[in-house]
């Protein structure tokens, strides 16, 4: 059973990579690390040897840059691959069209699509499920990198992208 509502797929499909990147570019300066409503985990993780996270993003996407800082604040080393062709990377990694967001990361053989909180990445690396990785489609307000100055947050669900391409629930964020 697919965790996400099938009737919502046409609406989700509207979030193509081009539209998502345009949304990031449309409101420069509206997302700042100082207004974060999703706090990164303790920097105690920085004392450990954490794996490198490679982030593929558009060079002009501000929200992706804020997400990168969210991950770095947790102690992860990050390599940024600025590219205009993020869709080719998403296709190579097998991310379903209805699960697309504005940036894609790779860490220890897993894919992380979108504004996934670093606590979920840490859990993924700790539990090591037999899966492709994590997905957070779209750009939910209040997710890391998409903070709202007034503190407004949408609830969102991070999905576990199974080896067969199906998505099941991994974590819920109020």
């Amino acid at each position: 059973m697919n965790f996400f509502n099938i009737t919502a797929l046409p609406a989700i499909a509207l979030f193509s990579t081009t539209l998502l990147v345009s949304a990031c570019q449309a409101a420069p300066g509206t997302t700042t690390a100082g207004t974060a409503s999703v706090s990164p985990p303790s920097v105690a993780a920085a004392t450990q040897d954490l794996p490198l996270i490679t982030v593929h993003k558009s060079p002009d996407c501000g929200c992706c840059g804020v997400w990168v800082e969210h991950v770095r604040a947790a102690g992860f080393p990050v390599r940024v691959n600025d590219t205009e062709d993020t869709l080719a990377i998403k296709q190579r990694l097998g991310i379903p069209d209805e699960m697309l967001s504005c940036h894609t990361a790779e860490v220890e053989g897993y894919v992380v699509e979108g504004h996934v909180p670093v606590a979920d990445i840490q859990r993924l690396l700790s539990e090591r499920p037999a899966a492709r990785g994590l997905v957070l489609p779209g750009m939910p307000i209040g997710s890391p990198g998409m903070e709202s100055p007034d503190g407004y947050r949408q609830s969102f669900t991070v999905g576990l992208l199974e080896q067969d391409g199906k998505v099941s629930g991994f974590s819920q964020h109020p």
Side-chain angles (χ1 to χ4, degrees):
M1 177 182 213
N2 194 329
F3 179 77
F4 294 93
N5 183 347
I6 295 297
T7 61
L9 292 182
I12 293 171
L14 293 175
F15 289 107
S16 71
T17 302
T18 303
L19 289 175
L20 291 170
V21 170
S22 296
C24 289
Q25 296 169 352
T30 58
T31 303
T32 64
T35 59
S37 60
V38 176
S39 301
S42 165
V43 189
T47 61
Q48 303 172 15
D49 288 327
L50 296 173
L52 176 69
I53 297 180
T54 300
V55 180
H56 309 282
K57 69 175 200 61
S58 166
D60 301 320
C61 188
C63 66
C64 297
V66 176
W67 184 82
V68 165
E69 292 310 313
H70 168 74
V71 173
R72 283 185 174 141
F76 283 93
V78 179
R79 176 177 48 218
V80 175
N81 173 31
D82 283 323
T83 178
E84 295 296 336
D85 193 8
T86 59
L87 186 58
I89 293 164
K90 295 168 190 304
Q91 290 172 338
R92 174 179 61 82
L93 295 171
I95 300 168
D97 289 346
E98 63 272 11
M99 295 292 119
L100 296 179
S101 185
C102 54
H103 60 268
T104 304
E106 296 178 83
V107 58
E108 294 201 337
Y110 289 109
V111 63
V112 177
E113 177 70 8
H115 293 266
V116 173
V118 75
D120 291 337
I121 297 169
Q122 291 168 327
R123 180 178 154 210
L124 175 77
L125 295 174
S126 172
E127 294 178 4
R128 303 257 180 217
R132 288 188 198 169
L134 301 176
V135 292
L136 178 56
M139 298 163 58
I141 297 171
S143 61
M146 292 301 300
E147 293 87 357
S148 174
D150 65 2
Y152 172 74
R153 295 183 60 179
Q154 293 176 310
S155 63
F156 59 90
T157 301
V158 173
L160 183 67
L161 180 59
E162 306 286 350
Q163 294 291 354
D164 63 4
K166 293 180 183 173
V167 177
S168 61
F170 185 77
S171 66
Q172 180 67 39
H173 297 268

